[in-house]
Amino acid sequence: SSGAGGNDGISDLRKAFRGAGRLMAADNGPRVAVLAVDGWDMHSQEGQVTGMLHDMLAELDLALNHLKTELGAVWTNTVAICATEFGRTVKTNGDSGTDHGIGTTSMLLGGAVKQGFVGDWPGLADAQLEDGDLRVTVDLRSVFKGVLRDHIGVPSDVMETTVFPDSAV
């Protein structure tokens, strides 16, 4: 949650990212942290320069910076994944917002991530959309599987039978 967080001016979201960074930077700290960020289901007044979506993205940016700062030197060996389980529609609705859609994006960041864009851009032209939504080009499970395999060393057979059953491609 991105609530006010008290009198210190630091939101609860930033406090959570700071805490995760501190824990993971500790010599005996965990190797994995999962943080849920609620409040993205916006159906009205999302805005581009101002509005709910702008404010949420700005707060997420600050929180991720807090994570990086708290991780310190550990950041160079870190992979952070920002992902959502559902997308938003391409076109706005009557309330200057969007509704639930299919395609979405995910972001990987951290010192252990090579820079660049990965995936096939499906395009936003009407003929390129799938029932009015951004066409899915990457199975989100494959993103998680790649990080688990390449960064943490989880064997592929374990991921496809235990972590993400029935996800073999």
Side-chain angles (χ1 to χ4, degrees):
S1 161
S2 59
N7 296 330
D8 59 5
I10 304 296
S11 70
D12 291 341
L13 179 65
R14 283 184 260 164
K15 287 179 182 178
F17 277 61
R18 274 184 175 181
R22 286 182 189 141
L23 287 170
M24 294 179 74
D27 289 340
N28 61 347
R31 292 182 63 203
V32 176
V34 177
L35 298 163
V37 181
D38 298 329
W40 297 92
D41 193 6
M42 300 167 229
H43 294 275
S44 63
Q45 305 304 315
E46 285 179 352
Q48 294 177 11
V49 178
T50 61
M52 291 175 25
L53 180 60
H54 171 273
D55 294 347
M56 289 288 293
L57 288 170
E59 187 61 26
L60 178 62
D61 177 56
L62 291 170
L64 288 165
N65 191 50
H66 280 279
L67 175 68
K68 179 181 179 185
T69 299
E70 292 299 330
L71 284 170
V74 173
W75 179 256
T76 60
N77 297 317
T78 296
V79 175
I81 303 172
C82 294
T84 180
E85 77 280 9
F86 68 88
R88 304 303 298 182
T89 54
V90 171
K91 297 187 189 312
T92 58
N93 60 24
D95 292 325
S96 298
T98 54
D99 297 312
H100 293 213
I102 299 172
T104 187
T105 188
S106 57
M107 297 179 287
L108 277 66
L109 50 139
V113 178
K114 293 180 182 177
Q115 294 181 355
F117 176 84
V118 176
D120 296 320
W121 177 242
L124 295 173
D126 287 339
Q128 296 168 313
L129 300 177
E130 185 174 302
D131 295 325
D133 286 324
L134 192 64
R135 188 173 43 82
V136 176
T137 61
V138 175
D139 184 334
L140 187 56
R141 295 173 298 181
S142 70
V143 174
F144 284 100
K145 286 166 62 173
V147 171
L148 289 170
R149 182 192 63 236
D150 297 345
H151 189 64
I152 297 179
V154 176
S156 294
D157 62 326
V158 171
M159 284 188 287
E160 293 174 359
T161 59
T162 305
V163 180
F164 295 106
D166 301 321
S167 67
V169 289

